[in-house]
Amino acid sequence: MKRFIGLLFLTGFVCFSFSQTITVKDKETNEPLELVTLVSISTNVYATTNISGQADISSFNNAGDIEIHRLGYKTELVSYKKLKDIDFLFYMTADPFSSDNVVVSATRWNQVSDNIPAKILTIAPIDIQLQNPQTAADLLNISGNVYIQKSQQGGGSPMIRGFATNRLLYTVDGVRMNTAIFRGGNIQNVISLDPFCMENTEILFGPGSVIYGSDAIGGVMSFQTLTPQFSLADNLLIKGRGLTRYSSANQEQTAHFDIRVGSRSWAMVTSISNNNFGDLRMGSDGPPEYLRPFYVQRQDSTDVIIHNDDPQVQKPSAYSQINLMQKVRYKPSDIWDLQYGFHYSETSAYARYDRHIRYRNGLPRYGEWSYGPQKWMMNNLSAVYSGKSHFFDQAAVRLAVQNFEESRISRDINKNAREIRTEEVDAWSANLDFTKSVNSDNTLYYGVETVWNKITSTGTNENIANDLKSPGPSRYPQSDWASYAVYITDEHIFSDRLTMQSGLRYNQFTLSAEFDTTFYPFPFSDAEINNGALTGSLGFVYRPAKEWIISSNLATAFRSPNVDDMGKVFDSEPGSVVVPNPELESEYAYNADFGIAHIWGDLIKVDLTAYYTILENALVRRDFKLDGLDSIVYDGTLSQVQAIQNAARTTVYGVQAGVEIKLTQGLTFSTDLNYQKGEEELDDGSKSPSRHAPPWFGVSRLNWIVNRLDMQLYAQYSGKKDYKDMPEEEKGKTEIYATDSNGNPYSPGWYTLNFKAVYPFAENLSLSAGIENITDQRYRPYSSGIAAAGRNFILSLSTNF
């Protein structure tokens, strides 16, 4: 045993093989650059610099052309000999127009973004440091290309290209986060992710089903968390960060700490964040309908309506959250890289604010309506093998187990009957991915995947007067959902000017459910779905000159029916109840993209992407009959029966445009604009605007970097939706919208003016500060149930060691 332990010690902390270290720095500041990617196309070898700006490039020995990439810097092409001549110390030049980055969201493997026909946007750590987003939903919002809806402060449901919720896909470290209970209504699972532990965030716009399978219709949000980093010397690499932050609009108190420790072959990273958010204060200038004049509070066994001393404070909206992450990485040799990751997130219970502003006979309808603690845990293990064979140059296996828990707690005002509905999902997944360079011009990415979800749903009815509990109807049937797939993508470089990428995926999915007929007269007790889906893509990138990039992409995508579609019982709006429907099929999307980008010297960059998507066999909510009945009593109210059905055709089209202008040294201006329009069929064949196609929106930024001070003045804005442009299903939600001159609900346009700055005033100490919504606008983003923050002062102090 002693010999065995000694052998492990030697294997873990001693590396006998030859290594060559490169150091990459910023040419102006001489600061080391982390996350620089070095790529040898001829040998298909990759390396990434660590927090000290260093990388081991011994495997690049004698490589001809080595591409050196980092977002925001000019891409360089050098040889190994050239690096040797300059003693492996390389300086990169900042370039605000650079979009040539190495991304993983398109194929799960490292790819140069300019070779990918789909539009991909990267949010780098430097952007997060400046913008200081409170949640992962706010992190996506800073991109200027993702619209965020919030039903409550503890929420954030992205909208991308007219799609949202279960028609978008989330991945964390390459692992699918979507589960079989991701619903068509707004979701808040993204807040389980910690923005402080993000190494990189990528947004792939448009279909991604070839690689990611079901749900990847409107886009894919790929979150890469901190990677353990090895030491490139004999001594341990120890780096850490501590941060604290305060925000005035919700009295936020946040603390974060992470530490990285690495030897030559072992490395680890630990991260912990704790957030406390108070009730959110809205702005002073805007629609009076958004004000909160009173709220409900339980006093002496009675629901009492309390006058709100400050109607701009949205009570109740406070919540807290904790995030933990632990990763361990082991590299026993040059060809093996093993990594284990543990993630845990838990929120406190938090009020669903849009339900608290729902009224009946002029009084609040609910005495309480809250989500219970939202819990997410993931254990994942990955192994990357870089030994070449006839079938692959690299192989990777990713195994993951995720556990989700969410609950809903509701009670009508002055009633003793409390309803508690709890859902738990155990999600297992396995991916085996390969990459193979057929020759210098042709690379294959292929793999197999299996995903299995087990859903446990329980219902409890509680009498709060005597604390008696009894079984109640569950939200979902007890269910199993599974997916099995094979996929392949081919990247072919015809010339320096033309690249093609094509892909194909076949997916088989199954769903089995057992229904409890104790509480509802379902005409069935079980149901099964077993279907397949074939999707593909074909795209080209053409560079007629160095300053031009033209891309086009055709792709299909699908979404298989999940447990939320088939088996849910819930109240969608007052007077309506959605019931199970076991006769469902997949919906299919057909998408076309065309993009063009041009750079004028070192001064101006313009990019434009147009897209058109058709969604056939769309799963939508329609009137239905349950055992011959078109209405049933639900929650004490006679309600119209509805169900999810394959009953519509939806079209979405739009434009994404961006402009960047270099005004002077260190001073840049940029704008991102998004316009989308969607239509879906109604029961009578007429058309209604699509619910998840928000008004046009965008962001304009003026960024100034002087010495080490980084400042940004920016405006975020959105157009309005008049009553005539509102989706039919939104017109009934009068409580969340403003009222026009005719008494009809509508969503007003809005803007905010904001300022952020970050300054490292000591070697290891940085101060970040900002003012959001300087003019104190009172606004509620389209479809949101809670008004956004009013004037908000932010102060953050961070230290590195």
Side-chain angles (χ1 to χ4, degrees):
M1 177 61 71
K2 291 181 179 180
R3 291 180 180 179
F4 179 69
I5 294 173
L7 179 60
L8 282 179
F9 181 84
L10 290 173
T11 303
F13 290 92
V14 180
C15 179
F16 294 104
S17 61
F18 165 78
S19 65
Q20 178 57 63
T21 300
I22 186 174
T23 302
V24 184
K25 295 185 175 183
D26 182 290
K27 189 175 181 179
E28 293 294 325
T29 66
N30 203 40
E31 294 290 328
L33 293 177
E34 184 184 7
L35 301 177
V36 175
T37 304
L38 297 94
V39 183
S40 173
I41 301 298
S42 59
T43 58
N44 201 30
V45 175
Y46 294 82
T48 303
T49 58
N50 62 18
I51 199 168
S52 301
Q54 297 181 326
D56 181 358
I57 60 169
S58 53
S59 57
F60 289 73
N61 191 19
N62 297 323
D65 291 331
I66 300 174
E67 295 180 2
I68 303 178
H69 302 264
R70 191 183 192 273
L71 188 65
Y73 287 80
K74 289 183 178 179
T75 296
E76 305 284 356
L77 187 66
V78 298
S79 67
Y80 187 88
K81 183 179 182 301
K82 173 66 175 177
L83 293 176
K84 185 176 181 180
D85 291 342
I86 58 176
D87 295 326
F88 298 99
L89 177 59
F90 191 83
Y91 290 92
M92 297 192 74
T93 304
D95 180 4
F97 299 152
S98 173
S99 61
D100 188 15
N101 191 33
V102 173
V103 296
V104 300
S105 53
T107 61
R108 299 185 196 269
W109 291 101
N110 289 320
Q111 272 187 296
V112 178
S113 58
D114 280 357
N115 289 339
I116 300 171
K119 179 179 175 67
I120 296 179
L121 183 148
T122 300
I123 303 175
I126 191 172
D127 302 318
I128 299 174
Q129 182 185 18
L130 176 64
Q131 291 295 331
N132 252 324
Q134 289 190 342
T135 68
D138 298 327
L139 183 156
L140 294 169
N141 188 53
I142 68 177
S143 70
N145 288 274
V146 178
Y147 200 92
I148 300 296
Q149 180 277 351
K150 291 186 179 183
S151 296
Q152 62 282 323
Q153 185 176 198
S157 188
M159 299 182 185
I160 298 176
R161 289 192 173 185
F163 295 100
T165 61
N166 54 18
R167 289 173 181 153
L168 301 176
L169 191 87
Y170 305 81
T171 71
V172 183
D173 294 338
V175 177
R176 174 191 181 92
M177 193 180 187
N178 292 42
T179 72
I181 64 170
F182 266 40
R183 56 190 180 273
N186 299 307
I187 60 176
Q188 54 271 346
N189 298 74
V190 72
I191 69 167
S192 293
L193 306 179
D194 183 1
F196 289 114
C197 74
M198 291 302 156
E199 189 169 86
N200 212 31
T201 301
E202 296 171 10
I203 305 166
L204 184 149
F205 295 89
S209 281
V210 168
I211 298 300
Y212 295 101
S214 179
D215 304 1
I217 292 177
V220 176
M221 290 156 283
S222 176
F223 298 90
Q224 305 292 320
T225 60
L226 295 173
T227 302
Q229 296 180 351
F230 299 115
S231 174
L232 300 178
D234 292 333
N235 56 308
L236 286 177
L237 172 70
I238 302 177
K239 297 286 185 180
R241 176 178 58 151
L243 180 145
T244 183
R245 184 178 63 203
Y246 170 81
S247 299
S248 64
N250 56 3
Q251 304 297 303
E252 176 204 8
Q253 299 177 46
T254 286
H256 168 80
F257 175 79
D258 65 67
I259 185 169
R260 305 188 201 190
V261 179
S263 69
R264 284 190 176 273
S265 56
W266 284 92
M268 58 160 279
V269 58
T270 302
S271 172
I272 181 169
S273 296
N274 186 73
N275 311 90
N276 284 281
F277 306 107
D279 292 320
L280 183 64
R281 181 188 179 278
M282 69 180 79
S284 60
D285 183 12
E289 294 91 343
Y290 298 165
L291 292 171
R292 181 70 163 151
F294 48 78
Y295 58 94
V296 177
Q297 191 175 85
R298 189 75 173 172
Q299 296 181 358
D300 298 326
S301 302
T302 303
D303 290 325
V304 179
I305 298 176
I306 304 294
H307 171 74
N308 192 356
D309 293 334
D310 186 352
Q312 291 176 228
V313 176
Q314 300 172 91
K315 297 183 177 182
S317 59
Y319 80 104
S320 61
Q321 181 171 338
I322 187 170
N323 282 82
L324 304 172
M325 185 185 77
Q326 178 66 59
K327 286 186 175 182
V328 179
R329 186 180 178 191
Y330 174 50
K331 193 168 185 178
S333 67
D334 289 339
I335 60 174
W336 279 103
D337 193 339
L338 311 177
Q339 189 173 160
Y340 164 76
F342 169 80
H343 300 259
Y344 182 78
S345 173
E346 181 175 351
T347 70
S348 64
Y350 52 94
R352 179 165 175 178
Y353 185 79
D354 64 340
R355 289 293 194 260
H356 283 267
I357 59 174
R358 184 173 285 182
Y359 303 106
R360 179 188 287 169
N361 300 323
L363 296 175
R365 175 177 174 178
Y366 295 102
E368 58 179 311
W369 210 120
S370 299
Y371 288 110
Q374 178 174 290
K375 302 176 184 179
W376 170 65
M377 181 172 67
M378 180 170 76
N379 290 271
N380 67 304
L381 178 66
S382 66
V384 178
Y385 176 71
S386 301
K388 293 187 177 182
S389 74
H390 292 295
F391 302 102
F392 59 84
D393 296 327
Q394 282 184 310
V397 60
R398 294 179 179 87
L399 307 175
V401 179
Q402 298 179 81
N403 308 101
F404 301 82
E405 182 181 326
E406 59 186 51
S407 57
R408 294 161 177 80
I409 303 142
S410 62
R411 181 179 56 81
D412 285 352
I413 193 167
N414 292 320
K415 301 292 184 182
N416 291 328
R418 173 188 288 157
E419 297 180 346
I420 304 170
R421 305 293 180 258
T422 303
E423 282 71 54
E424 296 182 30
V425 179
D426 295 323
W428 290 265
S429 62
N431 287 84
L432 186 58
D433 294 307
F434 304 92
T435 179
K436 176 63 178 178
S437 292
V438 179
N439 52 51
S440 60
D441 299 326
N442 199 20
T443 303
L444 295 177
Y445 307 89
Y446 61 99
V448 296
E449 176 188 75
T450 181
V451 180
W452 179 43
N453 286 189
K454 182 177 180 60
I455 295 89
T456 303
S457 183
T458 59
T460 302
N461 293 334
E462 180 183 4
N463 187 319
I464 64 173
N466 54 25
D467 293 329
L468 292 178
K469 295 182 179 181
S470 61
S474 62
R475 181 177 172 89
Y476 298 113
Q478 312 312 306
S479 312
D480 291 280
W481 180 93
S483 169
Y484 313 94
V486 294
Y487 45 88
I488 186 170
T489 295
D490 178 35
E491 180 183 280
H492 190 89
I493 302 174
F494 291 100
S495 67
D496 291 340
R497 294 187 176 186
L498 182 63
T499 301
M500 180 190 77
Q501 185 166 294
S502 58
L504 199 65
R505 178 189 182 103
Y506 180 75
N507 214 116
Q508 191 74 17
F509 55 88
T510 63
L511 194 164
S512 61
E514 295 181 1
F515 293 88
D516 185 352
T517 57
T518 303
F519 300 97
Y520 298 112
F522 300 140
F524 43 78
S525 59
D526 56 66
E528 290 190 2
I529 294 177
N530 189 342
N531 273 313
L534 181 67
T535 54
S537 63
L538 176 65
F540 295 89
V541 178
Y542 178 57
R543 305 172 192 80
K546 183 180 178 181
E547 300 82 8
W548 287 92
I549 297 179
I550 302 172
S551 62
S552 62
N553 193 44
L554 300 174
T556 61
F558 78 100
R559 186 174 76 83
S560 64
N562 65 17
V563 176
D564 185 84
D565 298 313
M566 186 184 76
K568 177 174 59 178
V569 178
F570 82 112
D571 58 329
S572 59
E573 57 191 23
S576 298
V577 59
V578 175
V579 300
N581 177 15
E583 304 295 329
L584 295 176
E585 299 176 354
S586 290
E587 54 186 15
Y588 276 88
Y590 304 87
N591 179 82
D593 277 74
F594 179 80
I596 186 169
H598 183 60
I599 297 176
W600 283 269
D602 291 329
L603 299 178
I604 301 174
K605 177 185 177 182
V606 175
D607 65 87
L608 183 71
T609 302
Y611 59 90
Y612 191 94
T613 306
I614 300 172
L615 186 65
E616 297 280 7
N617 222 21
L619 292 162
V620 293
R621 190 168 67 237
R622 292 286 185 266
D623 289 346
F624 193 65
K625 288 188 176 181
L626 181 63
D627 204 20
L629 301 175
D630 61 7
S631 298
I632 62 172
V633 175
Y634 178 79
D635 198 17
T637 302
L638 184 65
S639 301
Q640 169 69 50
V641 174
Q642 296 181 325
I644 302 297
Q645 303 172 55
N646 295 106
R649 182 178 190 267
T650 299
T651 58
V652 180
Y653 60 89
V655 175
Q656 295 174 289
V659 177
E660 298 177 60
I661 304 173
K662 183 177 179 180
L663 301 173
T664 63
Q665 184 66 34
L667 183 64
T668 58
F669 172 81
S670 65
T671 289
D672 287 293
L673 292 173
N674 300 266
Y675 172 82
Q676 50 280 313
K677 186 174 179 61
E679 287 186 338
E680 67 177 44
E681 291 177 333
L682 300 178
D683 276 344
D684 58 4
S686 62
K687 300 290 182 66
S688 169
S690 177
R691 174 187 176 188
H692 291 137
W696 66 269
F697 67 96
V699 60
S700 296
R701 313 174 186 87
L702 185 64
N703 205 85
W704 187 29
I705 301 176
V706 53
N707 296 325
R708 297 194 298 169
L709 175 63
D710 188 355
M711 296 177 288
Q712 187 177 105
L713 179 68
Y714 65 100
Q716 286 189 291
Y717 37 82
S718 173
K720 70 175 181 177
K721 268 192 183 287
D722 290 318
Y723 178 74
K724 63 181 178 61
D725 299 320
M726 294 277 285
E728 288 301 315
E729 60 183 303
E730 291 295 297
K731 290 180 179 179
K733 302 174 183 177
T734 56
E735 69 274 8
I736 68 173
Y737 290 107
T739 304
D740 65 18
S741 57
N742 296 317
N744 294 319
Y746 82 108
S747 181
W750 54 267
Y751 80 94
T752 63
L753 188 64
N754 316 272
F755 176 78
K756 299 286 179 64
V758 60
Y759 180 67
F761 59 88
E763 183 179 356
N764 295 314
L765 203 60
S766 295
L767 178 67
S768 177
I771 309 175
E772 295 176 336
N773 195 359
I774 295 173
T775 58
D776 206 28
Q777 297 297 300
R778 183 189 306 147
Y779 70 101
R780 184 176 285 167
Y782 164 73
S783 192
S784 292
I786 190 168
R791 185 181 295 116
N792 186 26
F793 295 91
I794 302 170
L795 186 64
S796 175
L797 187 66
S798 64
T799 180
N800 299 301
F801 60 89

